[in-house]
Amino acid sequence: MTTMNPGIDAAGVEKQLIAFLAERTGAEPAPEQDLFDAGLVSSMFAMQLVVHLEDEYDIEIVGPELSMDNFRSVRAMSALVLRLRDSEGEGEGDGEI
C-alpha cells in the first residue's frame, strides 16, 4: 500500500483521481460529472476504483461505504477518501483500548 501524506486535501485527491480515470478511460472527467451516467465507470470498474483508493490512500472501504453514490463522481470519491482517512485517524493515540 502507498501511504499518502496525512495533510492531503480534496484538491490533491481530485487531481490524482482525474489522472487515474483519464489513464484508464481515455476521458478526463470534471469533478462533479456523474461517471456512471457518462459511461466512464461500470460496476466492475467501480470495484477497481475501490482497490485503487484503498491502496493509494491506505484506507478500507467496507459496508455502507461501498454505496455507488460514493463513486458517482470524482468529488464524491474525494470526500469518501478524506472522511475515511479522518475517521481512521481519530482513535489513534487517544488511550482507548
Side-chain angles (χ1 to χ4, degrees), residues 10 14 17 30-33 70 72-80:
E14 286 180 12
L17 280 169
E32 289 290 338
Q33 182 176 7
N70 285 329
R72 192 161 298 283
S73 70
V74 168
R75 184 132 315 138
M77 287 185 278
S78 175
L80 172 67

Side-chain angles (χ1 to χ4, degrees), residues 22-90:
E23 179 183 313
R24 296 294 195 284
T25 67
E28 190 171 302
E32 289 290 338
Q33 182 176 7
D34 188 314
L35 302 172
F36 292 100
D37 283 350
L40 296 175
V41 174
S42 65
S43 57
M44 184 63 83
F45 185 63
M47 293 312 300
Q48 291 176 349
L49 282 169
V50 169
V51 171
H52 171 73
L53 293 174
E54 288 181 333
D55 288 348
E56 187 70 22
Y57 297 101
D58 197 25
I59 57 175
E60 288 186 42
I61 305 171
V62 296
E65 301 298 355
L66 289 169
S67 165
M68 275 182 53
D69 287 338
N70 285 329
F71 300 90
R72 192 161 298 283
S73 70
V74 168
R75 184 132 315 138
M77 287 185 278
S78 175
L80 172 67
V81 166
L82 295 176
R83 185 173 66 248
L84 291 176
R85 285 182 57 84
D86 287 347
S87 69
E88 287 179 3
E90 285 178 1

